[in-house]
Amino acid sequence: MLLRRLASIIVGGTLTAALFLTLAGCATQQKVEAPVKLVWPAAPQTTRIEFIRSIASDEDLKRDTTFTQGVVNFLAGRKPPPNNLVEPMGLAVSDDGQVLYVSDTAWQEVFIFDFPTKSFRKIEELQLPIGLALDAQQNLYVVEQNKKGITVFDREGKELRFITDPSVERPTGIAIDRQRGKIYLVDTALKASKEHTVKVFSMDGKFIGRVGKGKGEAPGQFQFPTYVALDGDGNLYVTDTMNGRVEMFDPDGKYVKTFGELGDGWGMFARPKGVALDSFGNLYVADSGWSNVQIFNRKGKVLLFFGGRGILPGMLRNPTAVAIDKRNHIYVGDYINHRIEEYALVNTTASDSFLEPELKADGGEKGLESGQQQMAGGAGPAR
């Protein structure tokens, strides 16, 4: 059976060439009876991340686009529908997890997918929309890079106001601290600029300060920051893309610590982009260079990766934004594959975010070395 052959060649969430050849020879001859689940890490280890589906257009609200069906569509050469995503750059999910917002820089629009009603609409005629965020009233904040600011829309898509400051040069990511009434706007800035900071606004749009010490490689500095996320305590996580790291700041804007560094090893980055946190406080970082997502615990230890470079559903090519809803469903902007990939965190509790202690010879305990994580199960980053 096709499905048995598929299952036997899915290794650690990575697809081998044998998978493609098997499907190429069998997709037109055998009927797909049930979806294949693409998971990380590989059996016999406990599954932590499970691929759910691809979302690329309004048609995906009405049909299943699981791994198996997506592969069959791919092999059949099915053409994308008119409302297909081209360059997904920003993501936001409603508080109830029922509505997904996606900014597309090619269309200059925001796509809005309403899952329960299976309805679709767009906010059009934007000027290079990138970062997206929602406030407590579910008003949508859209970073329009060419306008150098943030346009706010209500639930029906009516424009409410525009937020900016003369210091803003090239805005990208955005996050809203509802409890403290702050809007964080990442200013990627220009090569010759010294800005390279995160601008801070009050909820009424007043510019109130900056986070970061400007352009540079020292702790607290940035080189072309892009995306940003907040945890439940109001700590700020900023992807410092060209320095290959994520920097954490406290609610007052004070530098706390760094996650990752430039490199090709476990817990390292090539071009980190989107960031988000799950309900356990673990940090998810999409890496456009390695085309995967790495998960770090609060202490900065890497737990697991998922994704990997590829064109088949569940794989990624130059991912951008990441958003996580309250169910711990993870949405990743799959830039070159022109879609959003949805995954789910499964079989996981709060204790799984902590590394198991290793006994010393004298009976004491010491922490596990990087690469021996409980969730990772020995898997390594995709190359």
Side-chain angles (χ1 to χ4, degrees):
M1 290 294 292
L2 171 62
L3 294 180
R4 291 176 184 171
R5 296 177 69 185
L6 285 175
S8 68
I9 54 181
I10 294 179
V11 182
T14 311
L15 303 184
T16 66
L19 172 57
F20 182 84
L21 294 174
T22 300
L23 286 170
C26 302
T28 58
Q29 300 174 12
Q30 299 198 36
K31 182 179 179 181
V32 177
E33 299 175 357
V36 171
K37 292 185 181 299
L38 186 59
V39 301
W40 292 264
Q45 299 168 84
T46 302
T47 295
R48 303 296 185 178
I49 299 292
E50 179 180 298
F51 173 62
I52 303 298
R53 59 175 171 171
S54 296
I55 303 167
S57 74
D58 53 338
E59 291 190 7
D60 293 325
L61 293 169
K62 304 172 185 177
R63 68 181 181 207
D64 178 26
T65 52
T66 56
F67 171 76
T68 305
Q69 186 59 53
V71 170
V72 172
N73 291 346
F74 165 74
L75 292 171
R78 182 170 294 175
K79 294 182 179 180
N83 287 323
N84 204 91
L85 291 166
V86 178
E87 294 178 352
M89 288 294 292
L91 292 170
V93 187
S94 62
D95 285 359
D96 59 9
Q98 302 300 306
V99 182
L100 177 67
Y101 301 84
V102 185
S103 65
D104 191 302
T105 52
W107 286 112
Q108 304 280 299
E109 298 171 343
V110 172
F111 287 42
I112 304 172
F113 300 92
D114 190 313
F115 300 133
T117 64
K118 299 186 185 301
S119 61
F120 169 83
R121 59 191 176 91
K122 296 187 290 186
I123 298 176
E124 302 176 322
E125 299 182 1
L126 300 171
Q127 295 187 34
L128 205 66
I130 300 183
L132 301 176
L134 295 162
D135 65 17
Q137 291 72 45
Q138 303 298 279
N139 295 315
L140 180 67
Y141 292 63
V142 181
V143 177
E144 293 191 72
Q145 191 168 94
N146 286 351
K147 290 177 68 174
K148 298 185 178 181
I150 307 162
T151 306
V152 186
F153 299 89
D154 66 14
R155 294 189 182 202
E156 285 69 46
K158 179 183 176 181
E159 184 173 338
L160 299 178
R161 61 186 181 277
F162 182 72
I163 298 171
T164 191
D165 181 78
S167 66
V168 176
E169 295 182 355
R170 190 156 62 109
T172 48
I174 183 174
I176 297 176
D177 187 338
R178 300 177 185 177
Q179 182 178 348
R180 295 165 185 81
K182 294 180 180 180
I183 302 169
Y184 293 97
L185 177 66
V186 180
D187 193 348
T188 303
L190 304 172
K191 185 176 182 179
S193 172
K194 295 183 179 180
E195 278 293 329
H196 296 256
T197 57
V198 178
K199 307 293 170 58
V200 188
F201 296 86
S202 62
M203 293 304 295
D204 61 3
K206 180 184 296 184
F207 177 71
I208 56 177
R210 293 173 173 83
V211 174
K213 299 176 182 178
K215 189 177 182 180
E217 300 177 0
Q221 291 185 310
F222 301 115
Q223 286 205 73
F224 302 96
T226 50
Y227 291 85
V228 62
L230 288 160
D231 66 19
D233 297 322
N235 296 307
L236 193 70
Y237 301 79
V238 185
T239 45
D240 186 11
T241 298
M242 297 307 290
N243 280 328
R245 63 193 183 187
V246 175
E247 295 194 284
M248 176 183 175
F249 300 82
D250 69 16
D252 296 321
K254 181 181 178 181
Y255 169 80
V256 178
K257 61 183 175 182
T258 293
F259 294 74
E261 61 182 308
L262 277 173
D264 60 359
W266 185 249
M268 296 179 176
F269 299 116
R271 291 291 182 268
K273 294 286 183 69
V275 283
L277 293 105
D278 65 21
S279 64
F280 304 115
N282 297 316
L283 181 70
Y284 292 62
V285 186
D287 193 304
S288 181
W290 297 125
S291 289
N292 63 19
V293 178
Q294 295 194 67
I295 308 174
F296 296 78
N297 69 7
R298 296 186 184 201
K299 294 184 177 181
K301 297 294 185 180
V302 65
L303 300 173
L304 179 70
F305 87 93
F306 62 93
R309 183 167 292 276
I311 57 178
L312 298 176
M315 308 302 282
L316 300 166
R317 287 199 296 169
N318 295 53
T320 53
V322 180
I324 303 176
D325 67 18
K326 292 181 179 179
R327 303 170 299 163
N328 286 324
H329 277 226
I330 306 139
Y331 299 88
V332 181
D334 192 2
Y335 184 79
I336 294 182
N337 285 328
H338 318 299
R339 64 195 180 195
I340 305 302
E341 300 291 63
E342 181 182 354
Y343 308 84
L345 178 66
V346 297
N347 305 319
T348 300
T349 64
S351 63
D352 293 313
S353 300
F354 297 94
L355 308 183
E356 292 179 336
E358 180 184 352
L359 292 178
K360 293 181 179 179
D362 61 4
E365 294 182 352
K366 64 178 180 179
L368 285 176
E369 298 297 327
S370 180
Q372 296 177 293
Q373 284 77 9
Q374 179 183 4
M375 289 179 67
R383 294 291 189 267

